Amino acid sequence: MAPGRQAESGDGPEAARAALAAARAERAAELDRWLRSLLTAAPARPVHEDVALIAVGSHARRELTPGGDLDLVLLHRGRAGIAEIADRVWYPVWDSGLRLDHSVRTVHEARTVARGDMKAALGLLSARLIAGDRALADELRSAVLTDWRADAPVRLPELSQMCRERWESHGELAFLLEPDLKEAHGGLRDVHVLHAVAASWVASGPDGRVRAAHELLLDARHALHEVTGRSTDRLVLQEQDAVARALGLADANVLQRLIAEAARTITYAASHAWRRADRFTRSRRGVERRPVGDGAVDHDGEVVLARNADLNDPALALRVAAAAAHAGLPLAPATVDRLAEHAALPRTPWPAAARDALVSLLGAGPAAIGVWEALDQAGLIVRLLPEWERVRNRPQRNPVHRFTVDRHLVETATGAAALTREVARPDLLLVGALLHDIGKGRPGDHSATGAAIARDIGADLGFPEDDVRVLETLVRHHLLLPETATRRDIDDPMTVQTVTAAVSAVPGREREILDLLAALAVADGNATGPAAWGTWKAALVTDLTRRAAAALSGGSRPVLSLI
């Protein structure tokens, strides 16, 4: 078997990945020829009449990576001496060092096993004939597909539960420092599941974007196996630079960003497929339609455009997104695509209606995250906020952070929605939270760099000049309260003076800015992760905020409790 080669230093990503794909195809062809020779040489009586060697799993899909297992089924029609035929195939495979998962079945036996074993069913859905009786192989595939479709109302909920348990165990691929490329949410396994859901005729199969994402993850897994010489699917930190080089990429940061993008594409597609499956398995008397906002209608559990929606309205996309988030419903993928292709988007400076719709979307809280993701998958976010491209899918590479930079910003903004009643300007809190780390990925201090970017974005969004200066201050000093409270002596008057000086950037709005920074500290800490925020830090920040408020007012005034 010819092993795939590792990329040379001069290879670009396209050449390196093409080499890996070619190596997998060549290996699949060589394995097929070898296995075919083992089967045809086994018995005195020809096997093309009543015996078939079937590949399932990754080899059936011609995706077998260097550390992957070979999964084979020897199918027969009650043939005498089938055990001897099996031994003449299995033993050479074992002797070669390949890990083999094998079985010997009649069509009836294979069909029975598939109806009771989800793993066996998923494998047989992708079954591919290597050698032997084609009619026998076709009979098996037809029977398994017939059973799968007939049993879909029962099997799909079972498969859904298995996926949720796997996701709980392995986490979300896009946001893990050391992800499992196969089993994590958004990984290779989920693409195989998408094919299974499609085989039930409940949802369409993976589209071109999902297939491209799958190929990226498969190439990464292939490179990982070659780099480590092991069958591991977990991309640990110490292997990431080597895997990046094997893929012709500059470094681990580029690799992680591509993996995050691929995983989020797969996760988004899977969420839509499972919504379709859930609707299929629920008993429904008819399709429900009800208005959920101006230009938005709930159509069978998804938000679609109303018939009279004005595609020339620059606020339409954001307003429909906000309506979906407040209704707790997803946007229908076809609606997102239509908005991306045909809806007018706001020009700078944004009209007030578009800015209000953005604030309303963020103000919906956690329900806005899935809606934002849908807009992002369609490319709408970077068209609305071009600066978003620099933080999109950018890895943090820090165990304190749970998310990529862009997802952290959205998590912070939607988390800040719970604090909007505690501040005088909820709109500035939400937009400031969305932009507080917008400077990451650029040279210099991300707070200072981000402040300049936030100033420009604030102006583009149509905020008045004073509000733009408040946004700039929020981004510039979003770490002021937690860092000062935990690193300096709060009893020192100079510590409080540091805070009051920072919030005095916009005269007359000092207390407003202080309250906004306090709320932003809570939302930012909670969105970062458990290690970034807790009762101890909250108590210190509350105390510092109280002292700064007293200094600003000349007395003691209540402040937002952060505990």
Side-chain angles (χ1 to χ4, degrees):
M1 260 53 76
R5 69 172 184 86
Q6 199 166 324
E8 298 175 358
S9 58
D11 284 348
E14 291 184 2
R17 292 186 57 196
L20 292 174
R24 289 194 298 274
E26 181 182 356
R27 187 180 187 210
E30 289 190 2
L31 277 171
D32 281 358
R33 286 191 292 270
W34 180 50
L35 292 168
R36 193 176 299 119
S37 71
L38 294 176
L39 181 67
T40 56
R45 177 183 167 192
V47 299
H48 64 272
E49 298 175 356
D50 56 3
V51 176
L53 185 61
I54 306 292
V56 298
S58 58
H59 182 51
R61 298 184 296 269
R62 296 183 174 87
E63 297 172 357
L64 192 62
T65 53
D69 296 346
L70 195 60
D71 199 344
L72 302 173
V73 177
L74 188 62
L75 199 64
H76 67 103
R77 298 184 189 276
R79 175 151 176 174
I82 191 66
E84 181 182 353
I85 297 175
D87 288 346
R88 291 188 182 185
V89 176
W90 304 155
Y91 276 98
V93 175
W94 287 324
D95 291 343
S96 74
L98 287 169
R99 294 198 309 276
L100 174 65
D101 189 355
H102 61 91
S103 60
V104 180
R105 313 273 191 211
T106 64
V107 170
H108 174 73
E109 289 169 343
R111 187 176 186 177
T112 301
V113 170
R115 297 194 83 168
D117 185 321
M118 181 63 72
K119 180 181 178 182
L122 295 177
L124 289 171
L125 285 174
S126 61
R128 179 174 64 84
L129 176 68
I130 295 176
D133 189 336
R134 178 168 296 279
L136 184 59
D138 290 344
E139 180 184 342
L140 172 66
R141 179 168 174 79
S142 176
V144 170
L145 278 170
T146 298
D147 291 342
W148 180 254
R149 289 163 184 160
D151 297 341
V154 175
R155 303 308 297 275
L156 290 180
E158 178 187 351
L159 181 57
S160 174
Q161 181 60 32
M162 288 178 60
C163 288
R164 295 177 195 284
E165 291 172 358
R166 172 168 52 82
W167 299 339
E168 182 68 24
S169 175
H170 293 279
E172 194 161 357
L173 174 54
F175 308 124
L176 294 172
L177 281 178
E178 297 185 327
D180 186 309
L181 298 172
K182 185 176 182 180
E183 303 292 349
H185 192 186
L188 292 166
R189 182 77 73 190
D190 281 327
V191 180
H192 307 157
V193 168
L194 282 173
H195 283 287
V197 175
S200 69
W201 290 342
V202 169
S204 57
D207 62 15
R209 294 182 68 249
V210 174
R211 291 195 296 271
H214 172 262
E215 286 297 316
L216 184 281
L217 296 184
L218 185 61
D219 289 341
R221 184 185 189 227
H222 189 147
L224 177 62
H225 288 180
E226 288 196 340
V227 163
T228 62
R230 303 191 306 274
S231 61
T232 179
D233 293 324
R234 189 180 180 208
L235 184 60
V236 298
L237 286 171
Q238 59 263 34
E239 309 291 358
Q240 290 176 8
D241 279 317
V243 171
R245 289 192 297 271
L247 294 173
L249 302 174
D251 55 31
N253 281 326
V254 177
L255 172 64
Q256 285 287 71
R257 195 167 188 175
L258 289 174
I259 287 175
E261 181 172 17
R264 289 168 82 169
T265 296
I266 294 168
T267 298
Y268 176 68
S271 66
H272 174 61
W274 282 121
R275 288 199 302 272
R276 295 289 300 271
D278 288 344
R279 289 201 298 272
F280 169 78
T281 56
R282 293 198 307 266
S283 174
R284 302 187 69 94
R285 295 185 177 181
V287 175
E288 300 176 1
R289 287 181 64 92
R290 63 182 179 90
V292 292
D294 184 9
V297 173
D298 170 7
H299 177 82
D300 199 23
E302 292 181 330
V303 170
V304 301
L305 290 177
R307 294 185 178 91
N308 62 348
D310 181 7
L311 291 171
N312 294 316
D313 179 357
L316 177 67
L318 286 167
R319 191 168 61 248
V320 170
H326 282 281
L329 296 172
L331 285 169
T335 294
V336 179
D337 292 342
R338 188 180 178 199
L339 289 171
E341 292 175 11
H342 302 293
L345 298 180
R347 297 180 179 180
T348 57
W350 285 22
R355 185 174 66 251
D356 291 345
L358 173 63
V359 170
S360 177
L361 171 59
L362 300 176
I369 295 172
V371 176
W372 186 278
E373 191 74 11
L375 299 180
D376 180 71
Q377 287 292 317
L380 278 166
I381 298 300
V382 294
R383 290 170 60 194
L384 289 163
L385 302 170
E387 296 84 354
W388 197 259
E389 182 62 40
R390 293 291 292 267
V391 297
R392 186 172 182 266
N393 293 311
R394 178 169 292 278
Q396 305 268 25
R397 297 185 69 79
N398 183 328
V400 172
H401 281 274
R402 293 183 294 173
F403 300 110
T404 54
V405 177
D406 61 328
R407 179 60 174 268
H408 170 71
L409 293 176
V410 177
E411 292 275 347
T412 303
T414 57
L419 304 169
T420 52
R421 294 185 179 182
E422 308 292 341
V423 297
R425 288 293 301 274
D427 56 338
L428 295 181
L429 172 61
L430 295 170
V431 175
L434 184 68
L435 301 179
H436 76 278
D437 277 346
I438 198 69
K440 285 192 171 179
R442 299 172 187 261
D445 176 14
H446 82 277
S447 296
T449 303
I453 298 170
R455 181 181 60 236
D456 293 339
I457 293 176
D460 288 345
L461 295 180
F463 281 107
E465 177 59 29
D466 263 14
D467 288 351
V468 170
R469 292 172 64 195
V470 171
L471 283 174
E472 180 183 5
T473 303
L474 290 181
V475 175
R476 177 67 183 88
H477 295 295
H478 71 272
L479 295 174
L480 174 69
L481 292 176
E483 288 190 347
T484 303
T486 56
R487 299 179 183 180
R488 298 183 60 174
D489 180 6
I490 296 179
D491 291 326
D492 185 345
M494 292 301 297
T495 299
V496 174
Q497 186 177 339
T498 298
V499 175
T500 57
V503 301
S504 299
V506 186
R509 301 182 70 171
E510 296 87 352
R511 180 57 192 272
E512 176 188 325
I513 292 173
L514 179 64
D515 289 343
L516 289 169
L517 285 174
L520 179 53
V522 179
D524 186 16
N526 285 327
T528 299
W533 192 256
T535 55
W536 171 76
K537 182 179 286 189
L540 289 176
V541 172
T542 296
D543 192 7
L544 177 59
T545 305
R546 181 178 294 111
R547 292 170 185 247
L552 289 171
S553 64
S556 178
R557 295 179 60 185
V559 299
L560 168 66
S561 175
L562 309 182
I563 302 176

